[in-house]
Amino acid sequence: MSEAADGTMKVHEAIARCLRDNGVETIFGLMGDGNMFMCDSFIRDCGGEFIAAAHEVGAALMALGYSTVDLGKKLGVASVTHGPGMVNTVTALLQGVKASTPMLLICGDVKAEDRLSLQKAPQRELAMVVGAGFEQIRSPRTAVADTAMAMRRAILERRPVVLNAPVDFDWVDIEYKPVRVHIPEGRAVVQASDDLDNAVGMIAAAKRPVIVAGRGACSPDARASILRLAKRIEAPMAVTLKAKDLFRGEDYDLGICGVESTDPAVETILASDCLIFFGASITKATSSLGAFVKGRRIIQINQEPEEIGKNVLPDVGVVGDPGGVADLIVHWLDEAEIPPSGGYTDELKHKLETYRFETGPDADYDNGTVDYRHALVRLEEILPQGRVLATDGGRITRRIWPVIRVDGPGSFVPALDFGSIGLGVSHAIGAAAAMRGRPVVATVGDGAFMNGGLTEFNTAVRAKLDLIVVVANDSAYGAEHIKFERKQRDPAPSLFDWPEFADVAISLGGQGVTVRCDADWAKAADAIKNRKAPLLIDVKLDPSRISEDE
């Protein structure tokens, strides 16, 4: 780093140093006039990793995936140039806002005096209109403090924050003084309250309680405390989608609570008289469009007061650390000598242990396609253990969530909060960069792959990431296809004659294999076992033979 004898350095160097001093190891981005020197300094002077994306939205989505995996232990950082570069990230910013995912986006800004610059854009307004935070580097002297503040805000506010860095400041000399970002521990003290008393009383009276844990209750301590409560009251356990597989391996694990629930989970939840939600906002999907919460006592426990009653009004809402509240409930139940509910039965245990996902009547069809449900079961068998799973949007996604398992919510990266397709592969690339040494699987539809995955597949190749992309390829926009058919309309406008994706993957520097019949799964398994570069598995499907609930 070109630090002068008097301790000064250029502003772009100071921003890079501040990021590295605060633990940033990787930046995703595209270089342009507005950010190239900062990115170069991060690589050359700070020893950081820069992963060059093919498109700015891909870079920002990668940073979101980096922030999401491993329960958000690392802050994802992306950098783009001014004007078009920043504007191209808007979809990612909105996805991050809706997903409550921290992310720092550093973008250049044109010279203030250049009023007629072709690349001038209302960057502050664009960031704020989608709900992202915005920090302006106010002057060269405040550049380091402003950078640290943007990082701090992103983490505490749990959303993307845009740091606006005018190119005017890049080559100005300043004295570098480190500013450390300190985030206080968020574990709240659980206070005695009428709400807590009412929750204890309601749980004591419940005959068939079920516990549901959400993303806000995924820490190891919270998991252990909630598990103790579940065993104390003999309540089967379920999770929201974003807490996927939190209780995997435990007896009486119902899996996902919501529209993706398995048959035994649906039966158990509908038979319950009390649902106890920890760290969950009880979305429409979690409540199965309201069916699961209707006619049942609802207890909602969350550390953030604003989450209580945001989507469903509970009978009792308790504000506090989920693990701490669970421990207190166990304490008071023991004090009152309340017996267990009796919800742990041999019959339920047998149902959960013997449940198998329904597959089609045939493993493959005579038109060069395979049954989708059967394909997912086969993928669950052959995909590598210890994997991270990233999923895109689209109608093919819902069936994936309960079938393909992971080690816990820290290994799950959904890209669905904006209801968009095409975000999953970039999320997976970010996750793979954060979790080097572990395989990352991205599941996408063919439309989603062409929408965004194709653009960034070569990024994974260049970054030498362990990535497996599974394309559920029905040669259609599936949701539109089924809607045309429901209205007895010709679905032709929703159909596509795509190239052979396996060949495309190979041409982009990766590996590829195609599954057209049951015999091809052996080839896919062999390709997974012997992969030496990002691998694409093209699973051919018939759009008319994917059930409507997919």
Side-chain angles (χ1 to χ4, degrees):
M1 183 169 290
S2 56
E3 185 172 349
D6 60 359
T8 63
M9 65 177 66
K10 307 299 182 187
V11 166
H12 67 268
E13 296 171 328
I15 295 172
R17 170 78 72 87
C18 178
L19 295 171
R20 199 70 183 91
D21 284 350
N22 280 287
V24 175
E25 300 172 347
T26 303
I27 295 177
F28 305 90
L30 265 72
M31 290 191 189
D33 291 349
N35 70 331
M36 58 188 291
F37 297 111
M38 186 279 292
C39 294
D40 175 64
S41 181
F42 183 77
I43 301 165
R44 179 169 44 83
D45 300 324
C46 303
E49 178 184 33
F50 180 78
I51 295 181
H55 193 279
E56 288 89 354
V57 71
L61 291 168
M62 291 171 201
L64 291 175
Y66 191 93
S67 284
T68 302
V69 76
D70 203 20
L71 298 177
K73 291 180 180 177
K74 297 179 180 180
L75 175 65
V77 178
S79 179
V80 299
T81 192
H82 38 54
M86 187 274 173
V87 173
N88 282 342
T89 67
V90 167
T91 297
L93 292 176
L94 192 47
Q95 161 67 21
V97 169
K98 286 177 171 283
S100 299
T101 302
M103 188 262 280
L104 177 64
L105 176 66
I106 305 170
C107 59
D109 199 2
V110 300
K111 294 181 179 180
E113 64 186 27
D114 193 356
R115 185 166 58 89
L116 301 179
S117 170
L118 289 177
Q119 293 195 328
K120 189 175 181 64
Q123 297 183 173
R124 176 192 294 271
E125 289 77 8
L126 283 167
M128 298 186 72
V129 77
V130 299
F134 185 89
E135 277 291 324
Q136 178 72 41
I137 292 186
R138 297 163 291 164
S139 72
R141 184 175 56 84
T142 65
V144 174
D146 294 334
T147 301
M149 176 58 74
M151 296 179 68
R152 180 179 184 276
R153 286 186 58 196
I155 297 168
L156 289 177
E157 296 172 17
R158 296 191 306 169
R159 61 172 176 163
V161 171
V162 175
L163 177 66
N164 214 47
V167 295
D168 314 50
F169 301 163
D170 264 0
W171 294 90
V172 176
D173 288 316
I174 62 169
E175 182 182 358
Y176 181 77
K177 293 181 179 179
V179 179
R180 303 289 183 180
V181 177
H182 175 69
I183 306 300
E185 185 179 356
R187 190 175 173 93
V189 175
V190 181
Q191 301 285 352
S193 66
D194 289 341
D195 289 331
L196 180 61
D197 293 343
N198 290 336
V200 172
M202 203 171 289
I203 292 169
K207 301 300 182 184
R208 298 177 303 280
V210 170
I211 286 176
V212 183
R215 186 79 171 186
C218 289
S219 71
D221 288 346
R223 179 188 183 278
S225 296
I226 294 169
L227 191 56
R228 279 194 293 273
L229 172 62
K231 292 179 178 178
R232 171 62 178 80
I233 63 176
E234 295 188 355
M237 303 157 296
V239 294
T240 66
L241 177 63
K242 290 191 176 181
K244 177 175 162 57
D245 293 329
L246 178 66
F247 299 118
R248 182 180 180 183
E250 297 290 341
D251 291 338
Y252 303 101
D253 173 20
L254 300 176
I256 297 171
C257 173
V259 293
E260 307 84 18
S261 293
T262 61
D263 293 342
V266 171
E267 181 182 333
T268 304
I269 294 168
L270 289 178
S272 69
D273 59 354
C274 180
L275 297 180
I276 311 161
F277 289 92
F278 286 91
S281 55
I282 320 181
T283 65
K284 181 170 65 174
T286 297
S287 69
S288 196
L289 308 181
F292 284 174
V293 297
K294 185 177 181 180
R296 289 163 192 83
R297 293 291 187 92
I298 304 299
I299 300 170
Q300 187 179 12
I301 298 151
N302 210 300
Q303 189 159 315
E304 291 79 25
E306 65 272 16
E307 294 295 322
I308 304 290
K310 183 172 74 172
N311 299 308
V312 172
L313 192 63
D315 294 281
V316 176
V318 180
V319 177
D321 173 73
V325 173
D327 287 338
L328 265 182
I329 293 173
V330 170
H331 169 77
W332 290 118
L333 291 174
D334 287 346
E335 285 287 307
E337 299 182 350
I338 302 297
S341 68
Y344 284 1
T345 66
D346 291 340
E347 180 185 5
L348 176 58
K349 186 176 182 181
H350 178 72
K351 284 182 180 179
L352 295 173
E353 289 176 345
T354 58
Y355 179 76
R356 296 293 180 268
F357 290 98
E358 179 187 359
T359 60
D362 301 302
D364 51 55
Y365 305 119
D366 58 5
N367 63 348
T369 65
V370 296
D371 177 76
Y372 183 48
R373 292 164 294 176
H374 179 86
L376 292 177
V377 172
R378 293 303 304 269
L379 285 166
E380 165 64 16
E381 295 170 352
I382 67 176
L383 287 170
Q385 297 299 308
R387 59 185 171 259
V388 173
L389 175 65
T391 62
D392 205 288
R395 79 158 171 168
I396 59 93
T397 305
R398 280 177 48 195
R399 181 74 67 168
I400 293 168
W401 294 328
V403 179
I404 299 181
R405 307 295 297 271
V406 293
D407 292 339
S411 299
F412 181 51
V413 184
L416 49 83
D417 293 84
F418 191 22
S420 173
I421 64 170
L423 313 186
V425 170
S426 292
H427 272 72
I429 290 172
M435 304 289 280
R436 288 186 185 270
R438 290 183 59 188
V440 176
V441 177
T443 55
V444 301
D446 48 302
F449 181 71
M450 290 296 287
N451 187 287
L454 174 65
T455 309
E456 299 299 348
F457 186 82
N458 179 254
T459 301
V461 173
R462 288 183 281 106
K464 296 179 173 57
L465 299 175
D466 189 359
L467 177 67
I468 301 169
V469 177
V470 178
V471 181
N473 183 4
D474 61 0
S475 297
Y477 281 156
E480 287 69 27
H481 185 277
I482 197 66
K483 288 172 184 175
F484 276 128
E485 289 192 333
R486 285 175 184 169
K487 297 292 186 182
Q488 291 79 50
R489 299 290 182 88
D490 182 0
S494 68
L495 298 174
F496 293 87
D497 184 14
W498 302 123
E500 288 296 327
F501 291 142
D503 294 341
V504 171
I506 293 169
S507 71
L508 291 171
Q511 298 172 263
V513 63
T514 303
V515 175
R516 291 186 173 88
C517 63
D518 191 52
D520 289 337
W521 288 113
K523 293 192 304 181
D526 186 63
I528 291 170
K529 182 179 179 181
N530 298 302
R531 68 193 185 281
K532 292 180 173 59
L535 169 66
L536 184 144
I537 303 173
D538 183 7
V539 183
K540 302 290 189 180
L541 306 171
D542 184 333
S544 296
R545 282 175 154 160
I546 299 178
S547 64
E548 294 184 12
D549 65 344
E550 244 69 82

